[in-house]
Amino acid sequence: MNQVADILKLASAAQEQNVDAVLATVVRTEGSAYRRAGAMMLICADGRSVGMISGGCLEPHIIKRAFWLTRNGANVQVYQTGDEQADEDHEIEEHELSGNSYLDNELNFGLGCNGKIHVLFERLKAALPFLDIIRRVRRTQQPAMIATLIRSNSNDIRPLPAGIRVDIETYINSGKLTIIKDDSISNQALMEASSTVTDVLRDTVEALSKHEVSDKNTEYVILKNGGLTAEWLLQRLQPQVRLLICGAGNDVMPLVTMAKLQDWHVTIIDSRAQYASRLRFPQADIVMPLSLDDHEQLLKLSDNAAVALMSHSLTQDRARLSVLLEHSTHYKYLGQLGPRYRTERLINEINAVKKNPTALKDGISKLHYPIGYKLGGDGPEALALGIMAEINAVMHHKTSPADFSADELSDTVAISNAATLSCV
């Protein structure tokens, strides 16, 4: 969910300022596409916009058309990125005459990517309940499962309009059918729908609750129930990746910058209060001095997080490492800065004072040292890029560069640079 923080911030500002806005969400992709399903962009009536749903190719068109497209409610559009350029004015004229929530005509942007991007457009008021769920996930660190209706058709019953969302997580936990909606917009459509539609929707949610979601956290699903055929985007909304940095030296600064570009939640701790200050790390979410004997707080901050030990202090690293190695299932990643012999010295010193040294075995096997991939380059920025690449790979169960061919490694470095610097 990159750039989500900016979208949530602008949505709140627009709501407070009584400025209308449109949320554009990628609900399906076919073939080559720059962004995955779930990518979002927010367009305000006063000209402000944040987020990306393509590599910059579709955004000017979308900014120009977003409010027109949603004048009658939520709307799904399909954009082709094939080789042939369509007559856009002609296509728009046909859309005007169709009057459907889903328009069969497709705009071809002639980009040569040979893909299709299905985009849901909805006014901010209708999208606010969904954005509130994203805020909840970020605040509580608890994931959510949401299904968004892309389109439906039936000869027998009145289908629900595109953009209706249902809370799959709540259904799994309680069996309650919860439709995520803005009361003033969606209730009318629900009241007009027959009880048959409600029954079909409940059966649909039951089927979606049993559907396996891929590692990409999104799945395109077609379900047929009675006379209704519906296409859904099933999303697992995940909390932000949490990064705990133990140490507040100057070389931590570019790591914080890169992590925030990826929309990670960043916490910095150091036993030296003069280093762990908000003034030094304004981008971090939490900056706090933490004594070396506060094991409870260390474990709380490292829960389900990636942990980077980089204090340049044997005393600090030894104290933090001693606690973390004994709790190997507690965190997702653990990396230690410094040459291999330094980390091995720390491990030996910790082992020497433990009553049961074998308790560290799992933690040691999970420890990455020296921290980060060696991608080339010099200085804190190159170190930060290598750390980010390694954490991403570990969390997404990807192969280490040590197992890549030279060409594959070159591609990986290029992708890591692009992903880190493009803020997408």
Side-chain angles (χ1 to χ4, degrees):
M1 291 192 312
N2 296 329
Q3 299 181 323
V4 172
D6 291 336
I7 289 173
L8 295 177
K9 182 178 180 181
L10 182 56
S12 295
Q15 190 178 13
E16 291 172 2
Q17 298 159 8
N18 199 28
V19 174
D20 201 1
V22 172
L23 181 68
T25 305
V26 177
V27 291
R28 185 189 175 194
T29 62
E30 300 176 73
S32 178
Y34 187 82
R35 299 300 307 275
R36 293 177 180 174
M40 298 183 296
M41 180 179 184
L42 187 67
I43 304 106
C44 290
D46 60 9
R48 292 175 293 175
S49 66
V50 292
M52 295 177 67
I53 62 169
S54 75
C57 317
L58 304 181
E59 281 74 7
H61 169 87
I62 285 169
I63 289 172
K64 184 170 64 172
R65 300 295 184 188
F67 286 90
W68 181 85
L69 289 170
T70 54
R71 69 199 184 283
N72 295 321
N75 184 285
V76 175
Q77 289 276 297
V78 181
Y79 298 96
Q80 288 200 40
T81 56
D83 294 327
E84 294 183 3
Q85 179 72 46
D87 182 345
E88 183 174 323
D89 292 334
H90 178 63
E91 295 286 356
I92 291 172
E93 186 174 324
E94 290 184 338
H95 292 339
E96 175 73 40
L97 293 173
S98 70
N100 296 324
S101 61
Y102 171 65
L103 305 172
D104 293 327
N105 295 311
E106 300 167 352
L107 293 179
N108 191 324
F109 280 73
L111 301 175
C113 300
N114 295 321
K116 288 184 181 180
I117 303 172
H118 301 240
V119 182
L120 168 67
F121 294 87
E122 55 191 328
R123 291 293 173 98
L124 178 59
K125 190 174 183 180
L128 281 175
F130 176 63
L131 295 179
D132 286 341
I133 289 178
I134 296 176
R135 290 190 181 94
R136 185 193 73 200
V137 168
R138 294 164 72 88
R139 182 181 66 255
T140 65
Q141 290 290 301
Q142 297 299 315
M145 187 85 77
I146 305 297
T148 303
L149 181 63
I150 301 173
R151 62 186 68 93
S152 63
N153 60 75
S154 174
N155 296 324
D156 304 319
I157 58 177
R158 182 188 179 103
L160 290 172
I164 288 291
R165 293 185 174 92
V166 291
D167 188 335
I168 304 299
E169 197 77 26
T170 297
Y171 184 84
I172 292 173
N173 294 332
S174 66
K176 182 180 179 181
L177 175 61
T178 303
I179 299 176
I180 303 161
K181 56 183 172 57
D182 170 72
D183 289 340
S184 64
I185 294 177
S186 300
N187 266 350
Q188 182 178 358
L190 293 175
M191 286 188 295
E192 290 175 355
S194 66
S195 60
T196 303
V197 172
T198 305
D199 293 340
V200 169
L201 184 58
R202 184 178 296 276
D203 292 342
T204 298
V205 172
E206 171 69 21
L208 289 170
S209 69
K210 298 175 181 178
H211 196 84
E212 293 288 335
V213 180
S214 70
D215 292 340
K216 295 179 181 179
N217 292 315
T218 61
E219 199 72 30
Y220 169 69
V221 182
I222 300 177
L223 291 179
K224 295 183 179 181
N225 191 326
L228 182 70
T229 300
E231 300 175 47
W232 295 86
L233 169 65
L234 189 58
Q235 284 178 276
R236 183 190 293 115
L237 302 179
Q238 295 283 17
Q240 290 171 279
V241 173
R242 296 174 58 242
L243 173 63
L244 172 64
I245 305 173
C246 302
N250 290 345
D251 56 351
V252 169
M253 294 176 181
L255 179 58
V256 174
T257 298
M258 291 184 185
K260 292 309 296 179
L261 284 174
Q262 294 283 344
D263 193 32
W264 291 9
H265 183 283
V266 179
T267 299
I268 300 172
I269 61 172
D270 199 300
S271 64
R272 303 161 293 189
Q274 69 272 25
Y275 286 97
S277 71
R278 171 62 62 184
L279 186 63
R280 283 171 52 78
F281 299 98
Q283 290 180 294
D285 297 279
I286 299 173
V287 184
M288 59 185 295
L290 188 68
S291 64
L292 298 180
D293 58 0
D294 193 344
H295 299 170
E296 182 179 351
Q297 183 70 353
L298 175 63
L299 290 174
K300 180 179 178 180
L301 293 173
S302 62
D303 184 29
N304 209 35
V307 184
L309 300 172
M310 44 194 309
S311 70
H312 298 278
S313 163
L314 281 171
T315 300
Q316 284 208 63
D317 287 350
R318 186 187 302 111
R320 310 292 193 205
L321 197 58
S322 177
V323 175
L324 293 169
L325 288 179
E326 285 190 297
H327 297 83
S328 61
T329 61
H330 196 68
Y331 42 81
K332 291 185 175 180
Y333 167 93
L334 179 62
Q336 172 67 62
L337 180 69
R340 181 169 292 274
Y341 68 82
R342 179 183 183 274
T343 302
E344 289 174 348
R345 170 188 169 180
L346 289 171
I347 292 172
N348 290 334
E349 290 173 353
I350 294 168
N351 263 324
V353 298
K354 293 291 182 181
K355 293 181 180 179
N356 180 19
T358 59
L360 305 180
K361 181 180 178 181
D362 290 340
I364 293 171
S365 66
K366 193 173 180 177
L367 177 64
H368 297 265
Y369 65 98
I371 192 172
Y373 290 153
K374 306 310 171 189
L375 303 177
D378 188 28
E381 293 77 13
L383 172 64
L385 181 60
I387 294 173
M388 289 291 296
E390 184 173 67
I391 293 175
N392 265 306
V394 170
M395 286 192 162
H396 293 94
H397 310 291
K398 299 299 182 181
T399 309
S400 165
D403 300 324
F404 289 174
S405 68
D407 290 341
E408 290 172 327
L409 179 55
S410 176
D411 290 343
T412 300
V413 175
I415 292 170
S416 298
N417 275 283
T420 302
L421 299 179
S422 65
C423 191
V424 298

